[in-house]
Amino acid sequence: MKKKYIILLGLCLIFLMGGLYFVKRDSKFDLEDSKSKAVYIYNLTDDKKVYGKNENKPLPMASLTKIMTLLVSLDHVSDLGELAPIDYDSYMRAVSENASMAGFLANETTTYRDLMYGTILASGAEAADSLAINVAGSIDSFVDLMNEKVGELNLKNTSYANADGMDDRRNFQSAKDCAMLIKYGLEDGNFRAIFTKRDYLSQATNEHPDGVYIESTIFSHLKDYEENGFEIIGGKSGTTDEAGLCWATLAEKDGKEYIIVVMGVSFSDIDDLPDAHIRETLEYLERI
């Protein structure tokens, strides 16, 4: 048993220490050892690319899908305080698929604001799909709106098949498209507020008299890590069997904002893979 843990510890150390040591060469990064399938780093302040690896390759993006779910919802909702209940069928489907949940219950009388925070912070499938149905009447009609937005923004390597990011061969995006989508979204004050929120308390309902406390999956995972010379100020995570681990974050360093998209960190036998994924993202920020 002790030998097993020593081997595991060794694997973790190899991954964390050797997986992403890179240096600047002619203002570019050498990332041969990166465990991610695709990476895109964008200097939002100066409006320029910093680094890309397979940046235009379409990949499964898991719950990064919900970034577009939020954007389309904001396009069509003028009053975020308007009631928008949890759809019963969507709730039951999310439970049956063991999808991530925000904590709402079937038929609960939520608001659009509650659903939007539940979609981005907790990556709640019941929140995302209920948003879609309340906005467009059905998930299929909402997906049509998502793909119309793809055309409007000229995202050439993006396609949507659902609002919640569950694996589907028609649901894919490139790392660069994801970054450009976030860039566009950040121009909207409501999007920025939701994307950068650490936690949120929903309105009180009969089912939850004290509201539902929702914490960002990004910030909850960062609690045990040092951010040396930079600060992650927002983001969205995603995980499915096909997509692996995906992170899209907004960070601040030296007075400038950066969008960092890391997609397709593969699963392995190492127990704490989310740790390795976070380490990889933080390593990029330290080296910018």
Side-chain angles (χ1 to χ4, degrees):
M1 185 64 70
K2 184 178 292 185
K3 182 178 180 181
K4 176 183 176 182
Y5 283 115
I6 291 173
I7 293 172
L8 271 176
L9 178 60
L11 287 170
C12 289
L13 288 173
I14 289 170
F15 189 93
L16 297 178
M17 301 301 291
L20 196 63
Y21 279 109
F22 56 94
V23 295
K24 279 193 174 182
R25 295 178 181 174
D26 299 325
S27 300
K28 295 183 179 179
F29 292 118
D30 179 7
L31 285 157
E32 291 181 0
D33 294 326
S34 169
K35 303 302 180 184
S36 305
K37 290 181 180 179
V39 179
Y40 192 72
I41 304 174
Y42 181 77
N43 182 331
L44 182 61
T45 302
D46 295 334
D47 190 24
K48 66 179 183 180
K49 168 184 170 180
V50 175
Y51 174 77
K53 169 191 170 183
N54 294 329
E55 65 204 75
N56 293 312
K57 182 177 182 179
L59 293 169
M61 70 287 210
S63 285
L64 298 189
T65 298
K66 297 183 176 97
I67 297 170
M68 182 64 94
T69 303
L70 173 61
L71 272 171
V72 170
S73 298
L74 287 170
D75 280 349
H76 292 85
V77 176
S78 57
D79 180 5
L80 303 194
E82 183 180 345
L83 295 182
I86 297 295
D87 178 69
Y88 178 85
D89 291 338
S90 296
Y91 175 85
M92 297 306 295
R93 183 173 60 255
V95 170
S96 69
E97 293 177 349
N98 196 31
S100 55
M101 307 283 278
F104 300 115
L105 299 176
N107 295 325
E108 188 165 357
T109 309
T110 48
T111 66
Y112 280 111
R113 182 178 289 105
D114 294 335
L115 296 181
M116 290 176 183
Y117 278 102
T119 295
I120 296 300
L121 271 62
S123 204
E126 88 280 29
D129 289 339
S130 295
L131 257 183
I133 290 169
N134 279 285
V135 168
S138 71
I139 291 176
D140 286 345
S141 294
F142 188 85
V143 171
D144 288 341
L145 295 176
M146 295 171 78
N147 285 313
E148 285 176 15
K149 196 72 174 178
V150 168
E152 177 188 329
L153 298 178
N154 196 29
L155 302 177
K156 297 181 179 179
N157 298 295
T158 296
S159 171
Y160 293 101
N162 55 53
D164 56 26
M166 298 299 286
D167 285 330
D168 186 303
R169 62 181 178 78
R170 300 165 299 162
N171 209 66
F172 56 80
Q173 187 168 61
S174 69
K176 181 178 179 180
D177 277 3
C178 184
M180 294 301 97
L181 186 64
I182 293 169
K183 174 189 175 183
Y184 171 82
L186 289 170
E187 296 174 2
D188 182 298
N190 285 319
F191 179 94
R192 179 178 277 270
I194 295 167
F195 196 73
T196 59
K197 190 77 168 176
R198 291 177 176 268
D199 54 17
Y200 172 78
L201 184 65
S202 73
Q203 72 161 12
T205 65
N206 289 337
E207 293 81 2
H208 292 98
D210 296 323
V212 174
Y213 176 73
I214 302 171
E215 186 175 19
S216 165
T217 56
I218 292 290
F219 291 112
S220 64
H221 282 115
L222 286 172
K223 291 177 180 177
D224 297 329
Y225 301 92
E226 292 185 12
E227 298 178 40
N228 297 314
F230 62 87
E231 180 184 7
I232 291 180
I233 58 177
K236 181 78 192 73
S237 65
T239 307
T240 64
D241 290 340
E242 290 187 20
L245 294 165
C246 304
W247 263 35
T249 53
L250 176 66
E252 188 277 331
K253 182 173 183 178
D254 298 330
K256 297 183 178 183
E257 288 187 339
Y258 295 86
I259 297 170
I260 305 95
V261 179
V262 180
M263 299 178 68
V265 179
S266 300
F267 295 99
S268 74
D269 293 330
I270 297 175
D271 291 337
D272 197 8
L273 191 57
D275 176 272
H277 186 236
I278 294 166
R279 290 282 184 183
E280 182 156 321
T281 301
L282 298 185
E283 186 75 19
Y284 284 111
L285 286 165
E286 289 176 357
R287 299 286 179 162
I288 289 175

